């Protein structure tokens, strides 16, 4: 049953994707900018959820999805115009569907609210929608004589339920086995419709020495004696096969060159697999030509000419398609690329010792190698990349929920959803974004009355955008609310002693940035949503832990804008390599403010042995990297790196040498040893040796603990 | 005689124990530190490689020499001599690092030299004597083979940083 559990897991993963698509489409409907493609996509998403749910016997989910689908179908077919559609009902249905899915995933039950069901039924056609047919294919069931489907699906009500013989001709694509397709699953599914006879045609199988056992040359002809509608059978087939891979009709019809008219009506126009966005622009008339030859089977496929302009040609696996890959495999690939980079720098070092004549050609080859490696690395990174849409599409629902709890109205505008960023970053993006949206809704936006008073539209606007900027991604969350209340923030900061009473007034920007200070919140009341003062400082900490930055711009009365800058990946890092003693260390470039030569005149020793550095009128604590990390070496440390840390805005760290800047591949140290204080990870440098990446935020703390363990670690074997 | 699968997913020391308990014949890799013989279950040994410089880790225990790059993976290297309370190992041309599968990760063990692979029977094993001494906690059992006594090591105890000997 493990395999089934796995398939089930994949199904629920896909549900997340479908729900994401649905969310986006519904948002478009709600904004009144929905195209027919959006409505079709919404329909397909719900349909796909339903199809899978049927396969797993999730009745509650099937029933609700079916009802929802009927509503979307009404919208799609124009029976209900988009303008008159009950948007709230649809949005709510989307939310409920997501809850039902979650419940089904956890093995629970979440009956949809009856009033919603009534509203949906009303929309779907005035009268209650007929129950969907029983699970199209119940994997858990034995293959015993299944009951014939009692009622036809709503959309094919014109099909009579009379028992009749139906022929299904299955001509799978040649690569069908590579798609892990098992024809028995189709037969099992169809067997539930009635008694069935299967004939396998082997005429297309080539001569033995030309035969690739992984290619499928078989054609199956199934004759089913059933009272189910064609539509129901097509839907079942649709879950396993592409449209061009099967054809149904009366006995004897399906082997003919042309698709029978009766079939044409029943042929599904909407492929189950709704990912083929890129092909959506092809005209239906061009579709038959696009069919791969393997699927043609002597005919032009099941798509009738002049199909309603759904814009979805049935041929979809022509352009590569997608596969799911285990993340571990990509990581291994990434590691290998890292290895190549190391080997390459080893070669580059070697090139120096070659005689001049040979060196030139060698260096040329090295340049191409360097370029190819970089491209390889970019491509592997691109495999890991995901659009921020994955996170953005959760936001409309969040905003709707907040609208309900807060009694405010907000219009959410998303931009740049297709901006891609490494999967690791996408995962880490959700929490800060949700936090910022909550903040904007709760503190940023005024109540509708206040807004009208201030001469603004009653509905607030929150704009979330993403864009690439160099090797970083910028995410902006902007609201048109009241802005940050600087006076309140200052007042609080003063009363808590965060700003000395005699200090000059901070600039407006400095004042606004107090919002990131732990323990400051301007909300007058602590609400369910936010206001406990653990908001923005947590966001900042999380963002900085990812090597990112967050800033805020606010204009009182006009709104406020948070800008989040994040690296595109966590797998590589821009670092500055320094030397301390014989060891090299990497500072994340994002932490570094500047580097300089140490001028002895600017260093002062404080009573107690600590040193400080005067830095253009400001004072920075000075730490020596060798001392911090217990490295023995003689001589002064002539260079200093100024870094910005969480607790110390400017920290000076003295090092022996600044070696250079380099992109390094981040290797987790915890999995190979354990967490090491002051070190965030490790990397492998060009000479194949390991260098530690410093955790700059932990360095000040390290200097204090170091005081208790003064001697070098190598020699204090338990003596300390 | 291939009694142990080399990609056993259980921690090696545990695998060794269960094999002992099951009374099956078994192979161990023996090596020398300071003239004494030690052994580990062959199933736990991933590879044996020459010494390469380690990158020291700040504030690690004295027997943790640091980390090395093992074909793209980073592994920690431990000094067995230091761990046994015999002072730091002098690194020489014949020094080798035995790369061990510690269950959830790999680790390297710096030893003076690798000696042999020997077949043993559970009946050859004696429990480790219960006398307190530096590094005694790393012994799992003693193997008496003719004149020679080989100390079988508890791998998880070797890599442990906070041992009674170190916290005292």
């Amino acid at each position: 049953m493990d395999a089934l559990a796995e398939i089930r897991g994949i199904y629920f993963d896909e549900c997340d994707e479908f729900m994401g698509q649905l969310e986006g489409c519904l948002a478009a409907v709600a904004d009144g900018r929905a195209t027919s493609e959006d409505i079709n996509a919404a329909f397909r998403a719900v349909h796909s959820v339903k199809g899978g749910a049927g396969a797993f016997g999730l009745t509650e989910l099937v029933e609700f999805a079916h009802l929802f689908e009927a509503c979307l179908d009404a919208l799609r077919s124009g029976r209900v115009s988009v303008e008159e559609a009950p948007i709230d009902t649809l949005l709510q249905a989307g939310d409920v569907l997501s809850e039902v899915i979650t419940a089904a995933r956890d093995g629970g039950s979440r009956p949809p609210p009856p009033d919603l069901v009534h509203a949906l039924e009303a929309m779907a056609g005035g009268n209650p929608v007929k129950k969907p047919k029983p699970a199209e294919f119940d994997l858990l069931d034995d293959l015993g004589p299944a009951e014939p489907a009692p009622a036809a699906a709503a959309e094919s009500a014109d099909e009579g339920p009379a028992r009749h013989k139906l022929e299904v001709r299955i001509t799978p694509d040649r690569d069908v086995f590579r798609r892990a397709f098992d024809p028995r699953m189709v037969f099992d599914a169809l067997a539930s419709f009635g008694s069935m006879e299967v004939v396998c045609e082997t005429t297309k199988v080539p001569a033995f020495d030309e035969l690739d056992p992984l290619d499928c040359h078989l054609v199956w002809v199934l004759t089913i004696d059933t009272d189910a509608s064609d539509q129901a059978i097509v839907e079942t087939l649709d879950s396993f096969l592409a449209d061009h891979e099967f054809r149904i009709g009366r006995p004897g019809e399906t082997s003919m060159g042309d698709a029978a008219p009766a079939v044409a009506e029943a042929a599904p126009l909407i492929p189950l697999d709704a990912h083929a966005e890129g092909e959506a622009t092809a005209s239906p008339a061009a579709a038959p030509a696009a069919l791969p030859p393997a699927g043609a089977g002597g005919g032009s496929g099941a798509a009738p000419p002049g199909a309603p302009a759904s814009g979805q040609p049935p041929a979809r696996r022509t352009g590569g398609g997608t596969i799911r890959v285990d993340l571990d495999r990509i990581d291994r690939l990434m590691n290998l690329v890292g290895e190549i980079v190391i080997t390459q720098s080893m070669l580059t070092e070697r090139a120096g010792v070659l005689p001049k004549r040979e060196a030139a050609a060698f260096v040329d080859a090295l340049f191409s190698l360097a370029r190819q490696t970089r491209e390889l690395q970019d491509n592997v990174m691109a495999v890991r990349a995901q659009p921020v849409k994955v996170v953005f599409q959760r936001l409309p629902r969040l905003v709707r929920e907040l609208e309900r709890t807060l009694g405010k109205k907000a219009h959410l505008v998303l931009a740049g959803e297709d901006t891609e960023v490494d999967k690791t970053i996408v995962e880490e993006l959700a929490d800060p974004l949700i936090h910022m949206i909550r903040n904007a809704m709760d503190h940023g936006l005024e109540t509708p009355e206040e807004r009208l008073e201030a001469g603004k539209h009653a509905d607030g606007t929150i704009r979330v955008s993403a864009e690439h900027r160099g090797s970083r991604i910028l995410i902006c969350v902007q609201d048109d609310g009241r802005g940050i209340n600087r006076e309140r923030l200052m007042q609080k900061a003063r009363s808590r002693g965060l700003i000395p009473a005699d200090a000059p007034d901070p600039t407006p920007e400095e004042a606004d940035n107090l919002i990131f200070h732990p323990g400051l919140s301007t909300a007058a009341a602590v609400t369910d949503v936010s206001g406990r003062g653990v908001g923005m400082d947590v966001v900042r900490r999380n963002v900085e832990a990812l090597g990112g930055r967050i800033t805020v711009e606010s204009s009182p009365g006009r709104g406020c804008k948070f800008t989040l800058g994040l690296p595109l990946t966590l797998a590589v890092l821009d670092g500055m390599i320094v030397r301390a003693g014989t060891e090299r260390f990497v500072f994340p470039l994002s932490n570094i403010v500047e580097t300089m030569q140490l001028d002895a005149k600017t260093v002062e020793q404080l009573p107690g042995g600590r040193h400080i550095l005067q830095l253009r009128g400001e004072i920075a604590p000075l730490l020596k990297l060798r001392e911090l990390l217990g490295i023995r070496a003689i001589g002064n440390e002539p260079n200093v790196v100024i870094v910005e840390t969480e607790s110390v805005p400017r920290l000076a760290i003295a090092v022996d040498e600044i070696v250079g800047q380099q992109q390094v591949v981040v290797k987790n140290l915890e999995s190979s040893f354990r967490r090491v204080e002051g070190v965030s990870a490790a990397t492998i440098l060009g000479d194949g040796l390991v260098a530690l990446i410093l955790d700059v935020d932990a360095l000040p703390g390290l200097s204090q603990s170091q005081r208790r363990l003064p001697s070098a670690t190598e020699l204090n074997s338990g003596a300390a | 005689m291939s009694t142990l699968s080399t990609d056993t997913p259980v921690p090696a020391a545990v695998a060794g124990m269960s094999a002992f308990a099951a009374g099956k014949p078994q192979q161990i890799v023996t090596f020398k530190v300071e003239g004494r013989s030690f052994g580990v279950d062959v199933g736990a040994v991933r590879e044996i490689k020459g010494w390469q410089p380690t990158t020291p880790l700040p504030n690690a225990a004295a027997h943790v020499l640091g980390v090395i790059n093992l074909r793209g993976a980073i592994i920690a290297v431990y000094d067995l001599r230091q761990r046994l309370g015999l002072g730091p190992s002098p690194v020489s041309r014949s020094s080798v690092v035995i790369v061990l599968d510690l269950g959830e990760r790999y680790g390297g063990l710096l030893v003076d030299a690798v000696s042999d692979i020997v077949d043993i029977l559970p009946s050859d094993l004696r429990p480790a004597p219960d006398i307190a001494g530096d590094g005694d906690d790393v012994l799992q059992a003693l193997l008496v083979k003719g004149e020679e006594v080989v100390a079988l090591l508890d791998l998880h105890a070797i890599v442990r940083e906070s041992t009674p000997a170190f916290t005292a």
Side-chain angles (χ1 to χ4, degrees), chain A residues 46 92 124 141 177 232 247 278-279 299 328 392 428 503 524 626 679 713:
Chain A
V46 176
Q92 203 194 340
D141 254 8
F177 294 144
R247 202 176 318 153
E279 296 163 26
D328 279 351
F392 276 21
E428 301 292 337
R626 293 199 306 224
V679 175
T713 48

Side-chain angles (χ1 to χ4, degrees), chain B residues 100-134:
Chain B
L100 299 164
D101 185 346
L102 301 172
E104 69 284 2
R105 61 192 167 98
Y106 284 8
L109 197 60
L110 175 66
V111 302
D112 289 352
V114 169
S115 332
D116 206 354
I117 296 179
V118 295
D119 297 332
I120 60 162
L121 286 167
S123 54
D124 300 334
L125 292 174
R126 305 282 174 276
D130 192 18
I131 36 167
D134 256 356

Side-chain angles (χ1 to χ4, degrees), chain A residues 535-560:
Chain A
M536 293 314 293
D537 70 301
V538 175
V539 171
R540 186 178 72 163
R541 243 203 333 270
N542 291 348
V543 167
E544 286 181 352
L546 297 173
R549 285 272 167 279
I550 183 166
T551 53
V552 61
E553 293 163 47
S554 161
S555 46
R558 307 244 317 265
C560 134

Side-chain angles (χ1 to χ4, degrees), chain A residues 241-436:
Chain A
L241 293 160
D243 296 341
H244 62 265
E245 290 177 312
F246 64 86
R247 202 176 318 153
I248 72 173
R250 308 286 158 246
E253 278 177 359
T254 59
S255 59
M256 292 191 307
D258 302 323
V263 178
E265 274 164 34
L269 303 169
I270 306 303
L272 180 72
D273 179 338
H275 299 294
E277 286 159 36
E279 296 163 26
T281 48
S283 76
L291 286 173
S300 61
S310 69
Q312 276 288 334
R316 10 171 240 255
R317 290 211 169 77
T318 47
T322 56
I323 54 163
R324 277 165 201 278
V325 181
D326 202 8
L327 207 55
D328 279 351
R329 291 193 184 187
I330 302 173
D331 285 346
R332 248 174 278 153
L333 214 53
M334 195 65 210
N335 278 345
L336 272 176
V337 175
E339 287 290 282
I340 296 176
V341 172
I342 292 159
T343 316
Q344 180 194 314
S345 30
M346 273 150 73
L347 286 174
T348 313
E349 276 169 29
R350 285 265 137 201
V353 301
L354 285 175
K356 270 212 175 78
R357 186 180 295 247
E358 285 150 50
F362 190 69
V363 167
D364 272 356
L366 272 180
F367 271 126
S368 340
L369 178 63
R371 198 189 60 239
Q372 288 148 5
T373 324
R374 212 164 32 241
E375 264 179 45
L376 184 61
Q377 185 165 355
D378 289 350
N379 275 298
V380 177
M381 296 302 297
V383 172
R384 292 172 51 103
Q386 280 190 317
V388 290
K389 194 189 276 173
V390 180
V391 180
F392 276 21
Q393 65 200 11
R394 296 190 213 164
L395 302 180
R397 182 169 175 204
L398 175 72
V399 168
R400 279 202 302 282
E401 274 170 9
L402 290 173
E403 280 179 335
R404 253 174 259 150
T405 29
L406 296 171
K408 296 177 183 178
K409 280 275 172 198
H411 185 60
L412 180 70
V413 182
L414 300 176
E417 295 116 301
D418 292 324
T419 312
E420 285 194 333
V421 63
D422 193 77
K423 187 177 161 64
T424 46
I425 296 280
V426 171
E427 283 161 4
E428 301 292 337
L429 210 54
D431 284 347
L433 259 182
I434 289 170
H435 227 115
M436 285 192 286

Side-chain angles (χ1 to χ4, degrees), chain A residues 9-140:
Chain A
I10 292 173
Y11 163 67
F12 283 116
D13 282 352
E14 281 177 350
C15 275
D16 287 347
E17 281 170 34
F18 295 139
M19 288 314 293
Q21 288 164 5
L22 177 67
E23 189 79 40
C25 301
L26 288 181
V29 175
D31 291 352
R33 57 180 166 82
T35 60
S36 63
E37 182 48 39
D38 285 322
I39 294 164
N40 278 324
F43 175 84
R44 284 197 300 272
V46 176
H47 179 76
S48 307
V49 169
K50 184 180 89 169
F56 293 103
L58 306 167
T59 343
E60 189 175 86
L61 184 51
V62 174
E63 280 176 17
F64 185 70
H66 178 73
L67 179 59
F68 194 4
E69 184 188 353
C71 291
L72 292 168
D73 188 47
L75 210 55
R76 189 170 65 121
S77 64
R79 268 186 281 137
V80 177
S81 77
V82 178
E83 291 75 35
E84 292 163 13
I87 302 298
D88 288 343
T89 307
L90 289 178
L91 291 174
Q92 203 194 340
D95 296 350
V96 169
L97 183 60
S98 159
E99 284 163 20
V100 178
I101 290 173
T102 311
R105 179 195 316 237
D106 304 339
S109 160
R110 201 254 178 240
D115 49 337
L116 175 65
V117 172
H118 292 316
L120 288 174
E121 278 170 352
M123 181 186 169
N127 42 12
V129 177
K130 286 177 208 155
K131 293 267 180 192
K133 63 194 176 302
E136 290 164 3
F137 166 38
D138 196 339
L139 277 178
L140 303 164

Side-chain angles (χ1 to χ4, degrees), chain A residues 391-516:
Chain A
V391 180
F392 276 21
Q393 65 200 11
R394 296 190 213 164
L395 302 180
R397 182 169 175 204
L398 175 72
V399 168
R400 279 202 302 282
E401 274 170 9
L402 290 173
E403 280 179 335
R404 253 174 259 150
T405 29
L406 296 171
K408 296 177 183 178
K409 280 275 172 198
H411 185 60
L412 180 70
V413 182
L414 300 176
E417 295 116 301
D418 292 324
T419 312
E420 285 194 333
V421 63
D422 193 77
K423 187 177 161 64
T424 46
I425 296 280
V426 171
E427 283 161 4
E428 301 292 337
L429 210 54
D431 284 347
L433 259 182
I434 289 170
H435 227 115
M436 285 192 286
I437 297 266
R438 285 212 169 121
N439 249 349
M441 286 291 290
D442 197 11
H443 309 318
L445 295 185
E446 311 89 333
T447 60
E449 300 79 46
E450 284 171 330
R451 288 187 64 89
L452 288 172
E453 224 164 86
K456 299 182 190 179
H457 195 278
D459 296 0
T461 302
I462 296 178
R463 199 186 135 81
V464 183
S465 65
E467 61 175 306
H468 279 151
R469 182 79 55 86
S471 64
R472 299 175 83 73
I473 182 169
L474 286 189
I475 311 254
C476 295
V477 177
Q478 193 171 9
D479 66 65
D480 66 345
R482 53 170 82 94
I484 293 174
N485 188 337
R486 270 178 210 141
E487 283 68 43
R488 264 195 76 82
L489 204 57
M490 293 280 300
Q491 201 187 325
K492 262 198 179 172
R494 284 225 161 83
S495 73
R496 296 192 186 179
L498 300 172
I499 306 176
D502 54 339
D505 271 358
T507 62
E509 289 76 41
E510 283 170 344
D512 287 345
N513 278 290
L514 282 170
I515 201 163
F516 297 117

Side-chain angles (χ1 to χ4, degrees), chain A residues 125-172:
Chain A
N127 42 12
V129 177
K130 286 177 208 155
K131 293 267 180 192
K133 63 194 176 302
E136 290 164 3
F137 166 38
D138 196 339
L139 277 178
L140 303 164
D141 254 8
D142 284 323
L143 300 176
E147 300 166 46
E155 56 263 291
S156 60
D158 51 327
E159 294 279 346
R163 186 162 280 272
H164 56 288
K165 271 200 186 340
L166 202 63
E167 187 172 278
V168 179
R169 186 179 183 82
I170 299 175
T171 48

